[in-house]
Amino acid sequence: MTLDLVIRQARLHDGATPVDIGIKDGRIAGLAQGLVTDAPQLTAGGGLVIRGFADSHLHLDKACLLDRARNPAGTLTGALEAVSAAKRDFTAADIHARGARVLDKAIGQGTTLIRTQVEIDPVIGLAGFDAVRRLRRDYAWALDLQICVFPQDGLLNHPGTEELLRAALAQGADLLGGCPYTDTDPVGHIARVFAMARDFDVDLDFHLDFDLDPGWRHLDEVARQTIAHNMQGRVAVGHVTKLSMLPPGRLADSVALMRDADIALTVLPATDLFIAGRDHDHAVPRGVAPAHVFHAAGVCCTVATNNVLNPFTPYGDCSLPRMANLFANVAQLGQPADLDRCFAMISDDPFRLLGHAGDIAVGAPADLVLLPCESRAATVAAIGRPLWGMRSGRLTFDAPAPRLLAPPAPSRTSAS
């Protein structure tokens, strides 16, 4: 077989017999044991080979801000105010530089697909959008970047924001977001966002119900509008931390609501844990929506990064296995089947949500990532860091396992 590259001993599924992957012209040309070829070889050593991880919710435009924006109280209000103040000095070059730092991390962690949330308002204008569009071009060699523009600080309370959002959508933004909890008219905000989505025929992704008061919520209105606009399967909601406070009966009703409206749920454990329950001095609630319950009922669920090194989340290395492991800890999931589902929420489900469904198969692009574990569950349990990745058959990063340097064994002398 004439190939450009062959990957030996790649395990494509848990428990599967390792096979060789033949690559030609950037695509998979063969999947079989013992491919006969004189092409250059790369070994997978029986490790799990996947298409990579997909991060369904990541803010590139306000990442890496700890040197200029702080949130001593750790509250949502504090984070919003700190970033809003810092945003006045943002430039396209500054956003590009900070976003590039995050993408460098994400690529090295095996992420090959990202939906990034980009703030649009009269303060920042389209500077963030322009910077992220440039990032999409600059990093196309390693990953796909989907751009969701949204009004973080509200829509109807900031005249001129809708016109800017429409301009971004006309210039190629992939989808539209909403953030009704920061608007003086949340229901009106939701209605306008759905109207814009209809006008531009784009999907929607909301920041929603980011508090712990289960007495009211905007999820019901989003579900109602989703069905009214016949947008089932085209709407996602992120955070929804109120779901963490529901008793079993009300939680089951919420599962049915989202399943019937075919709304996807994105959980952002690092941010939600950092922000939630700041008004408690003991028995602090976790504030992380139980995505595993929704996932088991057939709702598309994803676990994502959200923020990196900023007032919303003052840490992060862009490792999605680490984020899945964090969610598993919070949700107290430890059985292999449960950890496998956590893996699905950083791979299968976000790929599907972002419209990139597909398996490793002959004819598919050779976009591949090698994991150091033999199973999906083990990757979550051990926070397995990828060893290498490639796009269209070209290596994009290489991170070999550490080589331990033990001292020589002491010499032994025979007894006299």
Side-chain angles (χ1 to χ4, degrees):
M1 181 177 288
T2 302
L3 299 170
D4 299 325
L5 177 70
V6 62
I7 300 170
R8 300 291 188 189
Q9 292 292 294
R11 196 181 305 273
L12 303 186
H13 304 284
D14 288 7
T17 301
V19 298
D20 297 340
I21 304 174
I23 298 172
K24 178 70 175 177
D25 297 329
R27 293 188 172 271
I28 297 173
L31 289 170
Q33 295 180 358
L35 286 177
V36 178
T37 177
D38 58 1
Q41 300 187 24
L42 188 64
T43 182
L48 196 63
V49 173
I50 64 172
R51 292 179 300 157
F53 298 112
D55 201 327
S56 63
H57 191 119
L58 177 62
H59 293 264
L60 292 175
D61 57 345
K62 58 188 181 191
C64 306
L65 286 177
L66 294 181
D67 60 335
R68 68 185 92 167
R70 296 193 176 275
N71 179 15
T75 62
L76 176 60
T77 299
L80 289 168
E81 291 176 349
V83 173
S84 292
K87 189 163 53 178
R88 299 188 185 101
D89 297 323
F90 285 3
T91 65
D94 165 54
I95 294 169
H96 183 279
R98 289 185 287 102
R101 287 170 58 188
V102 175
L103 291 180
D104 288 346
K105 292 176 183 289
I107 292 165
Q109 297 285 6
T111 299
T112 57
L113 175 62
I114 294 172
R115 172 179 289 179
T116 184
Q117 308 277 338
V118 178
E119 296 187 18
I120 302 288
D121 57 50
V123 173
I124 190 64
L126 297 180
F129 175 60
D130 292 339
V132 173
R133 278 198 299 176
R134 183 180 158 204
L135 286 169
R136 178 164 61 183
R137 293 192 299 269
D138 292 348
Y139 282 86
W141 58 272
L143 50 75
D144 289 311
L145 194 58
Q146 190 179 89
I147 302 174
C148 176
V149 292
F150 84 111
Q152 170 72 84
D153 295 327
L155 176 58
L156 302 180
N157 53 327
H158 286 290
T161 299
E162 180 170 342
E163 290 75 14
L164 288 166
L165 287 167
R166 288 180 175 273
L169 290 167
Q171 293 175 36
D174 297 293
L175 72 158
L176 178 64
C179 193
Y181 61 76
T182 61
D183 208 302
T184 51
D185 181 2
V187 174
H189 179 118
I190 294 168
R192 291 308 305 155
V193 167
F194 270 96
M196 279 189 278
R198 179 190 60 213
D199 291 346
F200 287 91
D201 190 24
V202 294
D203 292 357
L204 289 173
D205 194 336
F206 285 90
H207 292 66
L208 206 66
D209 293 345
F210 195 9
D211 64 75
L212 301 179
D213 180 0
W216 63 273
R217 67 184 187 183
H218 298 136
L219 175 61
D220 302 273
E221 179 63 14
V222 169
R224 188 188 72 78
Q225 293 263 12
T226 298
I227 295 171
H229 286 85
N230 195 30
M231 287 190 67
Q232 294 93 327
R234 301 189 65 181
V235 177
V237 293
H239 295 296
V240 206
T241 50
K242 291 177 184 288
L243 295 174
S244 69
M245 303 301 288
L246 297 181
R250 291 185 62 191
L251 184 63
D253 291 342
S254 297
V255 170
L257 175 75
M258 292 187 62
R259 186 179 57 220
D260 293 345
D262 197 5
I263 295 173
L265 172 64
T266 294
V267 175
L268 308 160
T271 301
D272 297 346
L273 282 167
F274 180 73
I275 295 289
R278 289 286 178 167
D279 56 344
H280 289 64
D281 61 7
H282 67 284
V284 179
R286 295 183 174 96
V288 177
H292 57 296
V293 176
F294 289 80
H295 192 266
V299 175
C300 179
C301 293
T302 69
V303 171
T305 300
N306 195 38
N307 285 293
V308 178
L309 303 175
N310 75 5
F312 292 88
T313 318
Y315 27 69
D317 64 357
C318 295
S319 166
L320 284 171
R322 186 186 308 281
M323 206 59 65
N325 177 281
L326 178 59
F327 176 78
N329 272 272
V330 172
Q332 299 178 322
L333 303 174
Q335 297 302 311
D338 293 328
L339 297 179
D340 183 273
R341 295 186 186 99
C342 291
F343 186 96
M345 287 190 267
I346 58 172
S347 57
D348 307 331
D349 282 52
F351 270 106
R352 177 159 58 94
L353 176 64
L354 274 61
H356 285 243
D359 295 322
I360 295 174
V362 173
D367 301 342
L368 306 169
V369 170
L370 172 64
L371 301 177
C373 307
E374 294 186 359
S375 73
R376 293 153 58 106
T379 300
V380 174
I383 314 180
R385 176 159 188 165
L387 301 176
W388 53 252
M390 65 174 57
R391 184 171 174 87
S392 298
R394 175 190 172 278
L395 281 173
T396 55
F397 75 93
D398 184 21
R403 183 169 61 92
L404 301 186
L405 304 175
S411 60
R412 297 181 178 179
T413 58
S414 57
S416 56

